Amino acid sequence: MINRRQFLGGVAAAVALSGCARTQPSGTYEIASGERDGFQSEFAELLADAPSASGGDLRFTVRYTTGSLENLSLLASGEVLIGLTLADSAVLSDTPMLAIGRVYENYLQCAVPARSPVRSMKDLRGQTISLGSPGSGTAQTGRRVLEASGLSVDDVTVRPVSLTTVLDSLADGTVAAALWAGGVPTPAAVPRPGHGPDGGIRLLDLSAEYAEMRRVYGPMYEPVSVPARTYGDTAETATVGVPSLLVASPNCRTPWPVRSSTFSSIGRRT
């Protein structure tokens, strides 16, 4: 299982920005992140907590959002200068942006109640499902997952649920399945007393969907597996990986202050 130290160790290998500041940077930058208890918001929180490695008076604050699509909209409007986004959301967006670097791998995770008869995406025909919160990159990627399984949005009822309510939404039947993108484990999806279906949750194997998405869209999608027992008594499950990128607006006129050593310092603090 990828723990927090391993995750942050990967962050330490993020691509250093071109044009690092020749003078000591200063100021406060707001980072458009994601939903609370998700990996995007956790990364932004860790970056905000990290001391500046550049020696300047540099600070970061976190703006919680619904995810990649809202982040890119905020970047386009100029409300924020830095944001996190799924790589496929960035490719599909018309928003001008500069890629700071790839910061970690997102795992697409489609959960159903452990006792559900649903065994594959194809079994969800006619069911109510969540493809992620409105404004999240998963809402966009989820349509590609559906298409890769041979379904379309016309074959299901899409009812978005927040990442923070995934367990309860599966427990009360609001949705038969819920898809999200995040690290493993995603804190909001970890079974806990009073939340989630009886018997826990189970992840659907998305290896067939991965193969089709890779064929159609290329190497931005990668084969990954969620380790066994990530969410209670769950088996190792093959799924689709998509990188998360840290991006900046071209309107960020000041030479960019973030250096690879800043990311490394985050990794050393855990």
Side-chain angles (χ1 to χ4, degrees):
M1 181 181 296
I2 296 177
N3 59 32
R4 181 166 165 163
R5 179 178 293 275
Q6 290 170 321
F7 157 61
L8 292 171
V11 173
V15 178
L17 270 180
S18 59
C20 287
R22 296 178 181 176
T23 58
Q24 290 187 345
S26 63
T28 299
Y29 291 83
E30 189 176 39
I31 307 170
S33 61
E35 292 188 84
R36 293 179 187 271
D37 292 331
F39 254 51
Q40 285 194 171
S41 61
E42 182 181 6
F43 173 80
E45 289 164 359
L46 290 165
L47 185 57
D49 287 342
S52 172
S54 60
D57 184 19
L58 175 65
R59 298 290 181 269
F60 296 100
T61 62
V62 178
R63 179 160 179 167
Y64 297 101
T65 69
T66 54
S68 298
L69 301 186
E70 182 180 352
N71 294 351
L72 292 171
S73 177
L74 291 169
L75 208 67
S77 69
E79 289 188 54
V80 300
L81 295 179
I82 315 170
L84 288 156
T85 177
L86 296 182
D88 56 352
S89 297
V91 169
L92 289 168
S93 175
D94 293 329
T95 301
M97 70 189 85
L98 303 173
I100 298 171
R102 169 178 173 155
V103 291
Y104 65 89
E105 187 85 344
N106 279 279
Y107 290 55
L108 293 181
Q109 300 166 70
C110 188
V112 298
R115 298 171 183 170
S116 167
V118 173
R119 295 291 167 180
S120 71
M121 290 295 294
K122 291 182 179 180
D123 294 336
L124 291 170
R125 185 184 298 273
Q127 301 286 327
T128 299
I129 66 172
S130 171
L131 298 179
S133 299
S136 70
T138 315
Q140 198 169 55
T141 309
R143 290 175 177 261
R144 290 185 168 183
V145 175
L146 274 180
E147 291 170 359
S149 73
L151 300 178
S152 73
V153 291
D154 295 328
D155 296 316
V156 297
T157 299
V158 177
R159 179 174 295 172
V161 299
S162 168
L163 178 60
T164 58
T165 63
V166 160
L167 290 177
D168 293 338
S169 296
L170 290 171
D172 64 18
T174 298
V175 294
L179 180 74
W180 72 90
V184 291
T186 299
V190 174
R192 53 195 186 276
H195 297 275
D198 291 340
I201 63 173
R202 173 168 42 84
L203 299 181
L204 298 183
D205 185 305
L206 299 181
S207 55
E209 287 74 16
Y210 156 72
E212 179 64 8
M213 291 168 72
R214 179 87 173 200
R215 183 188 71 81
V216 174
Y217 301 110
M220 82 170 71
Y221 297 114
E222 301 168 333
V224 295
S225 292
V226 178
R229 305 192 67 81
T230 295
Y231 299 106
D233 190 21
T234 53
E236 181 177 356
T237 308
T239 188
V240 184
V242 56
S244 193
L245 307 178
L246 185 63
V247 297
S249 167
N251 295 326
C252 191
R253 301 292 184 184
T254 305
W256 191 254
V258 179
R259 302 175 187 266
S260 58
S261 57
T262 304
F263 294 117
S264 300
S265 73
I266 302 173
R268 290 195 296 267
R269 296 179 69 217
T270 58

